[in-house]
Amino acid sequence: VLPTSTSLLIENMKVMGDRCSWAILIYQAKSIQHARSVCENSDIRSAAVQCNSVSEAFLNLQKKGLQIPRILLYREILPISSNYQRLLIVSSDVSLNKFDPNEFLKLVHCSFFPHAPPILAQPLLQNNYPCPQYGEGDINHNFFFTSPWSAYNSSSTLASACGMISQRAMFSIDGEFFQWFVRRVLAPRKLQLAALRYESDIGLERTWCVAARAFTINVLRLHKGHVPCLIITSKGTSVQLTLTVEQEQLQKLIAQKKIQLVTNKTNENYRGNSDRERAVLQQFKELYPNWCLKDNAMEYTNPIGEVGYSFKKSKRAHRRCVTQRELQKIHKAKI
């Protein structure tokens, strides 16, 4: 029996316990009333600092099989995110059942100490159902998954710098950078309209890490040696992509819509998948020509690819950093 997004969310909240606050954005529901009923669930209400739905217009688009780009969804959590130093963005089909949050955060903060923590970090993914965006066979994205690292990781790498972050499942992001990125980089109206029209924000992932490097240099004034993007490869920190009832329904709607589009190619709004993605990617390239990775640069983002040697690797968490974090926990507990 497939889990629902709500049951998976409650399970994830129990795994994380009191380690974080939850801001829940419902972007797929039968109606606003249905979304409210999710927020009124006692388990969710007791732990969430925010729980709300996207607008009725967005929900209507979802019912038609249209995907709401994250370019627009991220704006919905701007107000609450300003209260936090670091955010974990978790998709509705992610299970944290085997995820160790303490180990993950320790490696985020201490892998390259005394340098500041990375702007973006993510765990490896275990794919329990066909991934609609990429698969493990995609050479430019396979380092997001556990299996390639199992073959590579004879040297016991716990964390590695990388040139790209996947927003497919879960990632950690600096709170100040998130505010800056969404308010400035994703602000152009033509970018938002293109993403909505073509149901894609493919250029977003290609822009995260280069923008993060620019942010560390120009805004934070950090020294050389800082790692803007990090992938945590330690055992116990991976997360599972899990097929939920809602995801299965959405995939069926999207598949049905694709069939309808193929049979109506004369429609001026018809574009194949690659053409639709290219239309949005072109907006990113025009707006941010020095930030958005070009196709021929994608291979240079992979820390276990041909140029993997150029990415800094960490085989342990710095002992002094770990000690400082433990002392901070004890201090907070006393207060």
Side-chain angles (χ1 to χ4, degrees):
V1 179
L2 295 178
T4 65
S5 294
T6 302
S7 64
L8 191 58
L9 169 62
I10 293 172
E11 179 185 312
N12 288 341
M13 294 173 99
K14 291 177 180 177
V15 170
M16 295 299 289
D18 60 358
R19 297 181 186 91
C20 65
S21 303
W22 287 82
I24 299 159
L25 177 63
I26 301 170
Y27 59 90
Q28 184 183 350
K30 297 175 183 177
S31 64
I32 291 291
Q33 290 72 28
H34 177 222
R36 285 174 182 163
S37 69
V38 172
C39 292
E40 290 169 359
N41 180 289
S42 58
D43 291 316
I44 293 176
R45 190 174 65 245
S46 62
V49 294
Q50 173 182 310
C51 184
N52 61 277
S53 170
V54 296
S55 68
E56 186 80 47
F58 278 173
L59 289 182
N60 288 335
L61 290 175
Q62 280 280 22
K63 289 181 207 174
K64 296 177 182 178
L66 296 173
Q67 300 182 77
I68 309 303
R70 294 174 187 243
I71 288 176
L72 301 174
L73 291 177
Y74 288 145
R75 303 193 68 82
E76 301 277 338
I77 58 173
L78 274 177
I80 192 70
S81 65
S82 62
N83 299 325
Y84 298 91
Q85 293 180 340
R86 197 156 195 99
L87 312 176
L88 275 174
I89 309 293
V90 185
S91 295
S92 60
D93 58 348
V94 167
S95 171
L96 303 180
N97 190 41
K98 297 182 180 179
F99 175 69
D100 184 343
N102 291 330
E103 179 72 7
F104 177 78
L105 292 173
K106 179 184 75 176
L107 290 170
V108 167
H109 286 271
C110 300
S111 289
F112 294 106
F113 185 84
H115 293 294
I119 298 298
L120 295 132
Q122 78 166 98
L124 292 178
L125 312 179
Q126 294 182 28
N127 197 5
N128 291 346
Y129 73 98
C131 185
Q133 275 90 345
Y134 348 107
E136 297 186 41
D138 188 325
I139 190 170
N140 292 323
H141 300 101
N142 65 353
F143 66 89
F144 297 143
F145 295 92
T146 54
S147 52
W149 283 95
S150 298
Y152 168 85
N153 220 2
S154 57
S155 58
S156 301
T157 299
L158 297 182
S160 173
C162 59
M164 191 172 178
I165 288 291
S166 170
Q167 60 181 1
R168 172 66 187 86
M170 181 178 110
F171 63 99
S172 168
I173 184 169
D174 177 83
E176 185 179 355
F177 173 75
F178 181 80
Q179 291 282 322
W180 176 84
F181 190 87
V182 176
R183 293 185 187 278
R184 292 174 178 266
V185 180
L186 302 185
R189 184 67 174 162
K190 67 176 184 177
L191 178 61
Q192 296 178 20
L193 291 175
L196 187 59
R197 178 183 179 185
Y198 300 122
E199 305 168 62
S200 173
D201 46 22
I202 188 172
L204 182 53
E205 289 185 336
R206 296 191 183 199
T207 309
W208 278 121
C209 289
V210 187
R213 181 173 294 282
F215 181 80
T216 61
I217 295 172
N218 300 316
V219 179
L220 300 182
R221 307 292 182 184
L222 294 178
H223 300 292
K224 280 187 175 182
H226 178 264
V227 172
C229 285
L230 187 71
I231 187 160
I232 305 298
T233 62
S234 170
K235 292 181 180 178
T237 61
S238 61
V239 297
Q240 297 174 309
L241 295 173
T242 303
L243 183 62
T244 63
V245 172
E246 292 82 0
Q247 281 291 335
E248 184 181 53
Q249 292 171 347
L250 184 60
Q251 286 186 11
K252 288 179 180 178
L253 281 171
I254 293 170
Q256 184 180 13
K257 182 189 165 196
K258 286 178 181 176
I259 293 172
Q260 291 172 349
L261 285 173
V262 169
T263 57
N264 291 282
K265 285 188 177 182
T266 54
N267 187 319
E268 62 178 4
N269 290 322
Y270 171 78
R271 283 173 179 257
N273 271 354
S274 60
D275 289 335
R276 296 168 72 83
E277 291 177 347
R278 195 176 297 117
V280 181
L281 180 58
Q282 186 59 34
Q283 292 292 332
F284 273 98
K285 289 179 177 178
E286 290 176 3
L287 288 165
Y288 310 109
N290 296 323
W291 286 0
C292 187
L293 293 166
K294 308 299 189 294
D295 291 338
N296 60 1
M298 294 291 285
E299 61 185 287
Y300 298 108
T301 66
N302 190 341
I304 53 176
E306 292 184 8
V307 296
Y309 62 86
S310 63
F311 290 98
K312 293 172 68 174
K313 308 285 195 303
S314 174
K315 295 183 180 181
R316 66 182 180 88
H318 196 283
R319 185 175 299 175
R320 182 154 59 93
C321 173
V322 174
T323 302
Q324 288 178 0
R325 285 178 57 80
E326 291 301 321
L327 289 174
Q328 288 173 357
K329 288 180 184 177
I330 293 171
H331 179 67
K332 288 180 180 179
K334 288 181 177 178
I335 293 175

